Amino acid sequence: MQTDLSFWIGFNVFVLLMLALDLGVFNRKAHEISIKEAMIWTGVWVTLAMCFNGLIYYWQGEIKALEFFTGYIIEKALSVDNIFVFVLIFSYFKTPAIHQHKILFWGIIGALIMRAAFIFAGVALLEKFHWTIYVFGAILIYTGYKMLTQKEIIIEPEKNPLIKLFRRVMPVTNELHGGKFFVKQDGKRFATPLFLVLVLIETTDLIFAADSIPAILAITQDHFIVYTSNVFAILGLRSLYFALAGMMDKFRYLSKGLALILIFVGLKMLLVDFYKLPIQIALLVIVVVLFVSIGASLMSNKRLQ
């Protein structure tokens, strides 16, 4: 079903309005986000996503609503890996908590733009070259295997090629200058360490998008469903970060569950021409794997206490 242009415009106007309210009203002054505030905003974003899911059900029916919900669950679950990496990046650069919201805000603006490009390019490839679905499936299975076997993620910004290139193009100050990304010193423009953190956050999301976009394309190739479920998951990422940042070590088996989900959707893509798995079964498998991995993590924590 072709989505009317008015729905695209209305949805993007809604997103811009929410972002304007976020930065211009609720977070005009830089402040450290409390867990309570983060939980409230996490609830707001989840509620908005579910209300939108209800609109999809009313407008396009049960299957499209299930596709949106499944895609949203996948993207929300995979965003937990982003959160873990954000924690490592902020710790490495000793980024003050008061400035983290601003960095994540602009980081998510960039992420929305990049993911939109990924989505339309991915859908276009699948529509024109059907065989690329096997490439995407293989990428997901390989990524899931790597996640299962890797022991820990190590952040080494000094080895990041984009950071190296940026340092050659523009000098960077050694110290912070409040919440500024750029400053002028002796008539020359310098970037601050905060901007380096932003660049690293953006490149990290670009890497994660290479996994998460094919994962949702395994569920549906409907541009509007893929785009909107992705956007809702990304918009709630900041509040989820502040809500979970201090508890990431308690979900020790969640990354293994996410790896199994990637392998599952990768296999689903590889088998699509032989057997099309019903969306209801795919959703059930994903939810069960998530609950089992979270439950195993919580039980393990109790045994260690």
Side-chain angles (χ1 to χ4, degrees), residues 26-148:
F26 297 109
N27 293 286
R28 286 182 67 180
K29 293 183 178 179
H31 64 286
E32 187 173 342
I33 306 296
S34 66
I35 292 178
K36 180 182 178 181
E37 182 181 353
M39 291 298 288
I40 290 172
W41 271 104
T42 298
V44 168
W45 286 118
V46 170
T47 301
L48 287 172
M50 292 304 97
C51 288
F52 185 79
N53 199 21
L55 288 176
I56 293 290
Y57 179 84
Y58 177 76
W59 168 43
Q60 289 192 330
E62 180 184 356
I63 296 300
K64 288 296 180 183
L66 281 172
E67 287 178 356
F68 174 89
F69 185 69
T70 306
Y72 178 72
I73 291 293
I74 289 175
E75 293 300 321
K76 203 71 173 172
L78 291 175
S79 69
V80 175
D81 257 12
N82 294 54
I83 292 172
F84 180 70
V85 175
F86 291 168
V87 171
L88 294 179
I89 292 172
F90 286 142
S91 298
Y92 182 93
F93 282 94
K94 298 180 174 60
T95 308
I98 195 173
H99 300 311
Q100 290 178 10
H101 179 275
K102 179 180 178 180
I103 293 170
L104 290 178
F105 177 89
W106 291 110
I108 282 168
I109 294 290
L112 290 174
I113 296 170
M114 288 190 296
R115 286 180 181 240
F118 262 85
I119 289 166
F120 286 99
V123 173
L125 275 173
L126 290 175
E127 288 178 346
K128 192 165 186 179
F129 305 104
H130 178 71
W131 56 266
T132 55
I133 197 168
Y134 300 116
V135 176
F136 286 154
I139 289 172
L140 290 176
I141 291 172
Y142 176 69
T143 303
Y145 170 76
K146 281 182 63 180
M147 286 177 66
L148 276 176

